[in-house]
Amino acid sequence: MNQSEAFLDERVRMAAEAFQFLKSTTVAQRAAFMHAVADKIEGLGAELLETAHAETALPLPRLTGEKARTVGQWRTYANAVASGIYAEARIDLANSETGKSDIRKSNVGIGPVVVFGASNFPFAFSTAGGDTASAIGAGCPVIVKGHSGHTQTSTIMAEAITAVIKEIGWPEGVFSHILGNNIEGTDTKIGAYLTAHPLVKAVGFTGSYWGGKALFDIANQREEPIPVFAEMGSINPVFAFTHLLADRAEVLAQEYAASLTLGVGQFCTNPGVFVAVKGDGLERFKKALASAIVATAPATMLNTGIYAHYEKNKTTLSSQVDVAIIAESGIAAAQGQGSPAVVSTSASNFLKNRVLSEEVFGPFAVVVEAENDAEVLAIARQLKGQLTITIAATKEDVNEHQDIIHVVKDKAGRILFNGMPTGVEVVYAMQHGGPFPSCTDPRFTSVGPDSVKRFVRPLAFQNWPDEFLPEELKNENPLGIARIVDGAVVTTKSI
Amino acid sequence: MNQSEAFLDERVRMAAEAFQFLKSTTVAQRAAFMHAVADKIEGLGAELLETAHAETALPLPRLTGEKARTVGQWRTYANAVASGIYAEARIDLANSETGKSDIRKSNVGIGPVVVFGASNFPFAFSTAGGDTASAIGAGCPVIVKGHSGHTQTSTIMAEAITAVIKEIGWPEGVFSHILGNNIEGTDTKIGAYLTAHPLVKAVGFTGSYWGGKALFDIANQREEPIPVFAEMGSINPVFAFTHLLADRAEVLAQEYAASLTLGVGQFCTNPGVFVAVKGDGLERFKKALASAIVATAPATMLNTGIYAHYEKNKTTLSSQVDVAIIAESGIAAAQGQGSPAVVSTSASNFLKNRVLSEEVFGPFAVVVEAENDAEVLAIARQLKGQLTITIAATKEDVNEHQDIIHVVKDKAGRILFNGMPTGVEVVYAMQHGGPFPSCTDPRFTSVGPDSVKRFVRPLAFQNWPDEFLPEELKNENPLGIARIVDGAVVTTKSI
């Protein structure tokens, strides 16, 4: 073990020790902690925003909104945790006549969780982001590997969490912050070491397919396999239909261009593919889309690596056989600025050439022109798993294309009826996680309070005296949480 | 593709096609189907019991009970499905002032599920067992690989399910029954082929560690990894403490011997290890246990393979260094009959020699004699994941050994305060699934209505007109299920 590994090992051991504390906390105690973190982040001033702006080039208004969103995540997850919904308490009382035992079950944290921060959300999907909040809400210590693209921002957030831990008197190991530039070894090695560590019990990741899949493979080849929740992005196709295009091709093009170029296209829900049957509506859409793209200014991307990837991937897709450029930004790009571009191809070519289905992280889209509905259906059938699929349609279109709607339900975690997929709301009903390869596990979401579910496991107690049960399962229900008692939901009443 | 693979491929394709039907069924429709299956199984008469008895050597009273349990599983899971608890419907209404979208989410089946029947429960964990019931409840077609140990029993059960499918008019592909003796290729090859098939989306398995782990590895090396819920058994340690032993060593020995030898020890919750500190109480326990074991008759095991494994493993463990035989059945065993035996060893030897922690499937136990509490704690810490851990203790014992109790909470899915772990009740609060290697995924249970959760994934609808939403999410709540609307639980009211 070299010096870096010794450091990582020590932090993991501290997390494992802290788990011994955390697993005895109640949902109410964890919710109180989470609100304290929310307060602390809320109190961070201009320094946080300016540091993040300098590190990521994201505009200050966007960062201000993302900070509010991050605070909101801690608060809404805290409230959900406090309500007991993720304790999933079930009580089946003893029956002396049948000899049935008293059995009670509630969820506990799964153990130490390693979180890999994302490049594109320095607050909401990073050090103090949704993975960290949901893991702590579940009762799990967290070891964050901060993203190399915004280490100072990450450090400010880590210090906020650490300050709350000190104030509230929790063990230091509840939260660790690892930065690649502080220790030897590449980021990849750090990630591999942490994921393989026997005391680590789950991983949360937001990033590229290759990064997420590598961690998934390491986790499943361990002696004790562990879950990896990797959100790896997708191409988020928009399927547009004729009645809708006839009604509002130009408005749709405006909405689509705005979504595609929002944040320089650096969202995992960026709508990178647009599919429609050829015709007057599609021609109008393309024309309006071209105008919008030509008028959209290039903007600085998150970092030079992402910029370089974007330019390379854009060139690769644009130079495929039978691909035509519809429009590029008419405004010159400075170094590091991603320049929007849209290309078109035929459905048959899109079906044949899988390169055209690869995600391009940035403001780039492929417009797929189908000869008929059968080709659109074939594309829907061939799609890999997606975070989102959007149906741009009138009700009449939906009624006429039930077959396509039916198929896309298998291909995404969230399907939209009009609107655009960017702007992932932090609500109970959000599903941010679709079938593979958009995610490693479509059964869970990484946005919304339900993200807490990823990091719990049930623990059943049979015939235990009330005094030894966790508060979530005691007769008098001191936390006042909803529980299923003998098969029926019971809220505040003691039993 | 050879002829066998072509047959398997066809059945998987039929399942995938049937999924297109099943995914549009409501929780109410699936519950009605499940009750019809329960009725059909209930109506199966003496032929079923006699066939199972001939194939498994399990006594008729046990089989009668297991049949009732199986019927009960279909009914309780059906009622739980109908209640909507596993739809997990969440609705976040639109807000025109803030621009918030209408987002609604409920669970859908994950897709075709392959189920591997168990040897030791020909009804409850086999063809028409809990995995099949919970997968169909979730909305997933099922392909059962029937266990080779009871193919005729399996066929009778399969015919019952198929009959209901015909009566109710569902597609044939909702349920398939595969037997190794009907097609070419070994059971292992059939299992590997089905688990690797791209249209299969999850696997349920009950059996050995090697069988379950092999399927798990295949599933995770697919292009699209899928979840494998393998319940692989465990040694289910019993930790006994001094006050309890002082009070009732003899009664505990009777209970322990009865649990150990129940069903010739062929339960995954069989308590194969007993740990206590040396002393008068443990001596009394050993003496009473020896008497009970000597008096327990050998009995025919499920099949010759299991019998041969039992004898081999019993010999292996008994012949380890520093292992002494406490007692063996005093009654001669006929060929194929498993003969109960109990050995003892020191805690230091148990900690050192990992062979002694291996599961012996049958009526065999290791009594571990510790010098002090520190050795007991060391054993608790070293334990791998277990389905169950039993604490034989008085309240005073619990108060004096909080450290050990704290540790065992990390090591099992269910912890008992006295009583014995065999007899897994089919209730909401049951957790049948502990940390690896007792299971591949401790976050889920394979017994109880909650087993349905294994086979669903959430699907979110954004801004969809009410008429196109699944009934679980429509405004008027036609199914009357509990839903979380804007963060609060709402039961029957329309919104």
Side-chain angles (χ1 to χ4, degrees), chain B residues 65-79:
Chain B
E66 191 183 326
K67 182 187 161 194
R69 175 199 171 112
T70 306
V71 170
Q73 284 178 171
W74 282 93
R75 293 209 193 285
T76 55
Y77 297 8
N79 293 339

Side-chain angles (χ1 to χ4, degrees), chain A residues 69 73 77 125 424-428 430-432 445-451 454, chain B residues 105:
Chain A
R69 175 200 171 112
Q73 284 178 171
Y77 298 6
F125 285 83
V424 181
E425 290 180 17
V426 184
V427 291
Y428 274 102
M430 179 48 63
Q431 176 59 25
H432 193 64
T445 179
S446 60
V447 174
D450 280 357
S451 59
R454 297 176 295 171
Chain B
K105 174 171 80 168

Side-chain angles (χ1 to χ4, degrees), chain A residues 20 23 88 90 92 105 223 395 406 409-410 413-415 429 436 450 453 457 460 462 464 467, chain B residues 20 23 88 90 92 105 223 395 406 409-410 413-415 429 450 453 457 460 462 464 467:
Chain A
Q20 295 304 318
K23 80 183 194 201
E88 294 187 293
R90 282 101 160 85
D92 289 287
K105 175 171 78 170
E223 185 181 335
K395 290 186 182 182
H406 199 69
K409 287 180 182 173
D410 296 340
R414 174 165 59 109
I415 55 175
F436 191 89
D450 280 357
K453 285 194 220 171
R457 72 172 178 97
Q462 186 162 329
W464 283 80
E467 64 199 271
Chain B
Q20 294 305 316
K23 80 183 193 198
E88 292 187 293
R90 281 103 159 85
D92 289 286
K105 174 171 80 168
E223 185 181 334
K395 289 185 182 182
H406 200 68
K409 287 180 182 173
D410 296 340
R414 175 165 57 111
I415 54 175
D450 280 357
K453 284 194 221 171
R457 73 173 178 96
Q462 185 163 331
W464 282 81
E467 64 200 272

Side-chain angles (χ1 to χ4, degrees), chain A residues 355-402:
Chain A
V355 172
L356 297 168
S357 309
E358 295 294 320
E359 181 184 8
V360 176
F361 192 72
F364 176 84
V366 179
V367 174
V368 182
E369 306 188 51
E371 296 295 328
N372 49 46
D373 289 334
E375 282 192 343
V376 176
L377 182 59
I379 288 171
R381 287 206 170 117
Q382 187 176 292
L383 276 182
K384 291 185 181 180
Q386 305 290 329
L387 291 171
T388 73
I389 291 177
T390 300
I391 303 297
T394 64
K395 290 186 182 182
E396 200 176 358
D397 285 320
V398 172
N399 283 322
E400 289 173 6
H401 297 94
Q402 285 295 338

Side-chain angles (χ1 to χ4, degrees), chain B residues 89-420:
Chain B
R90 281 103 159 85
I91 297 175
D92 289 286
L93 298 168
N95 184 327
S96 54
E97 284 177 27
T98 63
K100 180 167 166 276
S101 300
D102 181 294
I103 308 183
R104 302 173 184 223
K105 174 171 80 168
S106 63
N107 286 336
V108 294
I110 198 168
V113 173
V114 172
V115 169
F116 293 90
S119 63
N120 58 343
F121 280 89
F123 304 152
F125 285 83
S126 285
T127 304
D131 284 349
T132 300
S134 56
I136 290 179
C140 299
V142 172
I143 300 150
V144 167
K145 161 65 186 68
H147 196 279
S148 58
H150 43 76
T151 57
Q152 292 175 60
T153 305
S154 192
T155 300
I156 295 172
M157 285 298 202
E159 285 168 358
I161 296 173
T162 304
V164 173
I165 288 172
K166 277 188 188 147
E167 285 163 22
I168 218 161
W170 279 13
E172 184 187 343
V174 166
F175 179 81
S176 290
H177 183 227
I178 311 286
L179 288 177
N181 55 1
N182 287 347
I183 55 176
E184 290 172 50
T186 65
D187 280 7
T188 306
K189 279 187 186 163
I190 294 169
Y193 179 85
L194 290 172
T195 302
H197 197 294
L199 295 176
V200 168
K201 298 299 180 188
V203 172
F205 170 92
T206 305
S208 71
Y209 172 79
W210 299 110
K213 185 60 164 50
L215 296 175
F216 178 85
D217 288 342
I218 291 168
N220 282 297
Q221 288 157 17
R222 291 165 46 125
E223 185 181 334
E224 177 193 353
I226 57 171
V228 170
F229 304 98
E231 191 270 84
M232 305 181 291
S234 71
I235 54 175
N236 305 293
V238 175
F239 290 89
F241 295 93
T242 47
H243 297 297
L244 188 283
L245 284 169
D247 288 356
R248 51 197 298 269
E250 289 77 13
V251 175
L252 180 63
Q254 289 294 336
E255 290 174 357
Y256 183 72
S259 179
L260 183 70
T261 60
L262 184 71
V264 208
Q266 299 166 118
F267 292 109
C268 37
T269 54
N270 190 51
V273 168
F274 184 94
V275 183
V277 172
K278 281 181 185 171
D280 179 54
L282 181 54
E283 288 306 312
R284 284 167 47 210
F285 173 83
K286 282 163 60 186
K287 193 175 162 194
L289 177 61
S291 303
I293 294 297
V294 168
T296 304
T300 305
M301 298 191 79
L302 288 158
N303 58 58
T304 52
I306 285 174
Y307 166 73
H309 267 102
Y310 173 63
E311 289 298 331
K312 177 169 164 276
N313 293 336
K314 185 170 71 170
T315 304
T316 302
L317 267 76
S318 302
S319 60
Q320 298 294 304
V321 172
D322 290 334
V323 169
I325 291 171
I326 293 182
E328 295 177 287
S329 171
I331 302 161
Q335 179 61 26
Q337 289 190 327
S339 188
V342 175
V343 301
S344 73
T345 194
S346 66
S348 60
N349 195 41
F350 185 81
L351 285 164
K352 198 169 56 192
N353 183 352
R354 298 299 177 96
V355 172
L356 296 169
S357 310
E358 294 295 319
E359 182 185 5
V360 176
F361 192 71
F364 176 83
V366 180
V367 174
V368 182
E369 305 188 52
E371 295 296 328
N372 49 46
D373 289 335
E375 282 192 344
V376 175
L377 183 60
I379 288 172
R381 287 206 171 117
Q382 186 175 291
L383 276 182
K384 291 186 180 179
Q386 305 290 330
L387 291 171
T388 74
I389 292 176
T390 300
I391 303 297
T394 64
K395 289 185 182 182
E396 201 177 355
D397 285 321
V398 171
N399 283 321
E400 290 173 4
H401 298 94
Q402 286 293 338
D403 50 354
I404 293 168
I405 311 289
H406 200 68
V407 168
V408 302
K409 287 180 182 173
D410 296 340
K411 301 300 180 95
R414 175 165 57 111
I415 54 175
L416 294 89
F417 179 75
N418 299 307
M420 285 294 145

